[in-house]
Amino acid sequence: MTKKMIAVALALAGAISLSACQTQQQQTGTLVGGALGAGTGALIGSAVSNGSAGGAIAGAVIGGAGGAMIGNAVTRPRHCARHGFDVNGNRVCVAWYNN
């Protein structure tokens, strides 16, 4: 069971690293896709390999990577309609176009 938890944690870490440098909405889609893919992959890998930790780890890694890519691909970025400034003077988007 501990090896499965390590596998899921590694898959989530991989999903988080894949979601860098994107919009907040895309990061959320990538993270959720990676987490769901890793969990599903770990369960399927464990079931296919008759409960071996290696199968669960391989399934989690493959499922996490695939889920992160799919989650990123299906999440459409929002386009900024109006800009404003935050309290530190940084330019931020305050209104978005509906896609």
Side-chain angles (χ1 to χ4, degrees):
M1 184 67 178
T2 304
K3 290 182 180 180
K4 289 182 185 179
M5 297 302 279
I6 292 171
V8 171
L10 288 173
L12 286 174
I16 290 170
S17 68
L18 289 174
S19 68
C21 301
Q22 298 176 356
T23 65
Q24 177 108 12
Q25 186 179 14
Q26 285 176 311
Q27 287 177 355
T28 303
T30 303
L31 183 61
V32 169
L36 290 175
T40 305
L43 291 174
I44 292 172
S46 178
V48 169
S49 65
N50 295 324
S52 78
I57 292 171
V61 169
I62 294 169
M69 288 188 284
I70 292 170
N72 185 32
V74 299
T75 307
R76 296 185 314 191
R78 299 187 309 176
H79 299 286
C80 189
R82 187 177 50 179
H83 290 93
F85 294 93
D86 65 6
V87 295
N88 297 318
N90 299 317
R91 185 176 179 198
V92 295
C93 189
V94 295
W96 291 269
Y97 291 111
N98 292 328
N99 291 331

